[in-house]
Amino acid sequence: MTEKPESLKAMQKEVDTYIQQFKAGYFSPLSQMARLTEEVGELAREINHYYGEKLKKTDEQLKTVEEELGDVLFVTMIMANSLDIDLTEVFNRNMDKFNKRDNYRFERKDGKTHD
């Protein structure tokens, strides 16, 4: 399988095309928040199974951290689409904020300590 490079815009459009085929369309923001919380909980459970002390039960379905992160991303895109939020713009603003605010917050590999 060949990987295709995708932008967040393209992924959001693909998610929108998927959702638009159903009569229900997008659920309310509150319902979406509940679903996102559920998916983050499932991700936390997988992290705990793989990296924590809580082992899976022998009859539990095998899932992966990757699969659960994918679910979180999908639901995040659904929420963003329904609220008309461009995740590319949000990402760019956040990276600008982090690069300015946290540029020297942690010890850097290049040894720099300030501008």
Side-chain angles (χ1 to χ4, degrees):
M1 185 168 129
T2 304
E3 276 191 48
K4 57 181 180 176
E6 295 208 41
S7 67
L8 280 171
K9 282 186 188 298
M11 289 187 283
Q12 279 189 257
K13 177 65 179 154
E14 186 174 348
V15 168
D16 184 62
T17 299
Y18 172 78
I19 294 296
Q20 294 303 327
Q21 69 183 326
F22 303 109
K23 287 182 181 181
Y26 289 102
F27 296 144
S28 71
L30 188 57
S31 292
Q32 291 175 39
M33 188 66 228
R35 183 162 176 217
L36 182 59
T37 301
E38 176 185 347
E39 295 298 348
V40 169
E42 291 175 12
L43 173 60
R45 184 174 176 82
E46 288 305 305
I47 294 286
N48 198 18
H49 288 317
Y50 285 97
Y51 304 105
E53 291 72 35
K54 185 175 181 183
L55 300 176
K56 277 190 181 279
K57 296 176 186 171
T58 54
D59 62 342
E60 275 188 278
Q61 182 181 5
L62 291 176
K63 290 188 178 182
T64 64
V65 170
E66 180 180 277
E67 179 182 351
E68 296 304 336
L69 273 172
D71 290 346
V72 169
L73 179 61
F74 182 77
V75 175
T76 299
M77 288 186 184
I78 289 173
M79 181 175 273
N81 286 351
S82 73
L83 297 171
D84 198 27
I85 295 170
D86 182 329
L87 288 174
T88 300
E89 290 176 13
V90 170
F91 174 81
N92 289 334
R93 281 195 309 267
N94 278 7
M95 286 308 300
D96 187 54
K97 173 181 70 176
F98 291 126
N99 281 321
K100 288 177 182 169
R101 183 187 71 193
D102 296 337
N103 202 20
Y104 299 102
R105 183 174 181 186
F106 304 101
E107 183 179 1
R108 295 174 54 98
K109 290 182 178 182
D110 62 13
K112 291 182 182 177
T113 57
H114 55 77
D115 286 329

